[in-house]
Amino acid sequence: MAVCLPPLALYVHLPWCVQKCPYCDFNSHGLREGALPETAYTEALLADLRWEAEALQTGRPLVSVFFGGGTPSLFSADCIGAVLEAADRTWGLAKDCEITLEANPGTADAVHFAGYRAAGVTRLSLGVQSFDDAQLQRLGRIHDGAAARRAFALARQAGFDNINLDLMFALPEQSTAAAATDLEAAIALGPEHLSYYHLTLEPNTAFAAAPPPLPDEDTAADMLDAGGHLLQAAGYGGYETSAWARPGRRCRHNRVYWSFGDYIGIGAGAHGKHSARSGDGGLSIERRVRWRHPRHYLSAAGGAEVLQSRQAITPQARPFEFAMNALRLHDGFDWDTLAAHAGLRREDLAGVLETAQERGLLSVDETGARPTALGRAHLNTLLQLFLEPA
């Protein structure tokens, strides 16, 4: 089965924060131990990018670039611009390439935002999490509600017309009314995109070691349901488990992830997924993971030793791997995407598609498959079917 290769994106991980939040399980490191090693880390990123270009000959331009962290807004516009220039020279940026940078409202200023915009960043993602000052303190954030509003205004002044706000619900002792008030505050600012997600206790975090009192599952479900109604009434459409957007403003980079597309990952702990055509016209797919600790990454960037692991995704594993991503999207997937992104045919999934459809979890037609409302509500049950699709 001859297939095309999926779209290609670039993820750049900048792992430092002013301080580590108690709920965060991302690869991030507080700056209390010393100054930000911006020059050394930028050079490592560029060396990593050059090696990746030699190791991965794609022939595909980048449809999106995402600077994540950590707190990327701790880095200067010069660093961001240098990476973007190198990426453009290496692979080329698509004409309408979406370039996102995550920013912490506590590190926001007009000069930085204007510099990022001039460097080529087209989309800003502000980690607001809440507008409630007491909640922000419990979450270990370095900003307050006023700083969040100020950061949004500064982003607009810098020329950003595509802004995402990250907002959490089911916060410690939060009521349904308080969650709605928080969301209404976010909507009132008029962002193009909202990531509205449930606070969960992740292993190896301060919150996991000393759990705060959180709302029960039923209350959290009520918050999500009420939030969905508020977002829909305000003109936002839900397109993924926790993502809401104005028309035409869905996050392209995240859609690369959720559609099982390809992405290069550079930076400490960055993940990547690479596809290549095999000799028989099929598809080989590999995941790559870089060393997590910045010191190890800094010493290894520029060669194959930067990889902590690399693993082929076998044809047997692909149905679940693909579904685990694609079925987060409300639109599901079409058959061409299944072939191009996973090297699978509709016939390969005939059994699981029939079972999921019979149980009312999946809608299947000649164009593709998409989760029903029941399937979205019981996504884990739906995904379990794809573990043994034969």
Side-chain angles (χ1 to χ4, degrees):
M1 174 178 55
V3 297
C4 298
L5 292 178
L8 181 68
L10 172 66
Y11 175 76
V12 184
H13 192 70
L14 306 176
W16 286 279
C17 293
V18 174
Q19 64 184 30
K20 182 84 170 178
C21 295
Y23 59 85
C24 178
D25 70 335
F26 294 157
N27 183 30
S28 59
H29 303 264
L31 281 174
R32 288 172 293 183
E33 298 178 1
L36 181 73
E38 178 173 311
T39 299
Y41 196 75
T42 302
E43 291 173 353
L45 289 173
L46 297 178
D48 195 3
L49 192 149
R50 286 192 296 271
W51 174 77
E52 191 70 58
E54 295 171 359
L56 179 69
Q57 299 295 329
T58 69
R60 290 170 284 171
L62 298 172
V63 300
S64 66
V65 181
F66 196 103
F67 291 88
T71 304
S73 53
L74 289 173
F75 283 74
S76 71
D78 288 342
C79 165
I80 303 303
V83 174
L84 289 174
E85 289 173 8
D88 194 20
R89 288 194 307 269
T90 303
W91 292 289
L93 303 178
K95 185 177 181 181
D96 58 348
C97 184
E98 174 194 88
I99 302 172
T100 301
L101 183 134
E102 291 183 332
N104 185 326
T107 62
D109 63 64
V111 173
H112 269 75
F113 282 175
Y116 297 143
R117 190 71 187 89
V121 176
T122 63
R123 182 176 182 269
L124 210 60
S125 181
L126 295 175
V128 171
Q129 315 310 350
S130 177
F131 290 90
D132 184 308
D133 290 350
Q135 289 289 6
L136 288 167
Q137 286 187 341
R138 299 184 78 167
L139 294 172
R141 306 297 290 176
I142 64 171
H143 68 277
D144 58 17
R149 292 180 174 88
R150 184 166 58 251
F152 188 90
L154 290 173
R156 287 292 197 224
Q157 291 170 19
F160 285 99
D161 63 357
N162 194 1
I163 301 175
N164 169 67
L165 297 183
D166 284 342
L167 196 74
M168 293 193 292
F169 66 91
L171 302 179
E173 299 181 303
Q174 188 179 46
S175 67
T176 303
T181 298
D182 236 2
L183 182 56
E184 287 168 345
I187 292 171
L189 292 177
E192 285 68 36
H193 191 283
L194 269 159
S195 297
Y196 190 55
Y197 58 101
H198 190 300
L199 171 64
T200 55
L201 301 184
E202 301 293 347
N204 303 314
T205 63
F207 270 6
L214 299 179
D216 59 34
E217 290 185 7
D218 288 342
T219 302
D222 290 342
M223 291 177 180
L224 180 60
D225 186 57
H229 289 300
L230 285 172
L231 287 159
Q232 287 177 340
Y236 294 89
Y239 66 96
E240 187 265 335
T241 302
S242 58
W244 296 78
R246 300 280 193 193
R249 296 296 194 168
R250 295 179 177 185
C251 178
R252 186 176 305 165
H253 190 83
N254 284 345
R255 284 184 62 83
V256 170
Y257 290 159
W258 303 137
S259 65
F260 208 55
D262 279 356
Y263 47 98
I264 300 158
I266 63 171
H271 289 231
K273 172 185 168 287
H274 301 170
S275 301
R277 294 185 183 89
S278 54
D280 60 1
L283 202 63
S284 61
I285 306 175
E286 179 183 78
R287 290 197 187 278
R288 299 179 177 183
V289 182
R290 279 151 169 76
W291 290 103
R292 283 178 60 87
H293 200 283
R295 282 198 301 271
H296 198 159
Y297 174 79
L298 283 165
S299 66
E305 58 271 18
V306 77
L307 297 180
Q308 180 178 7
S309 68
R310 56 194 305 172
Q311 181 180 19
I313 303 177
T314 65
Q316 293 75 23
R318 288 180 203 171
F320 178 73
E321 290 266 356
F322 178 81
M324 187 169 55
N325 291 276
L327 293 182
R328 288 179 62 102
L329 293 169
H330 294 185
D331 293 341
F333 59 90
D334 58 42
W335 308 123
D336 288 342
T337 298
L338 180 67
H341 296 204
L344 297 170
R345 301 166 300 175
R346 178 180 180 178
E347 293 79 8
D348 296 326
L349 302 179
V352 66
L353 294 175
E354 182 178 355
T355 300
Q357 196 170 19
E358 289 174 351
R359 297 184 184 180
L361 301 173
L362 205 62
S363 173
V364 180
D365 57 30
E366 291 307 308
T367 62
R370 59 206 57 83
T372 62
L374 182 65
R376 293 197 299 272
H378 299 278
L379 185 57
N380 288 339
T381 300
L382 173 57
L383 293 177
Q384 192 73 22
L385 300 176
F386 284 81
L387 282 171
E388 298 179 4

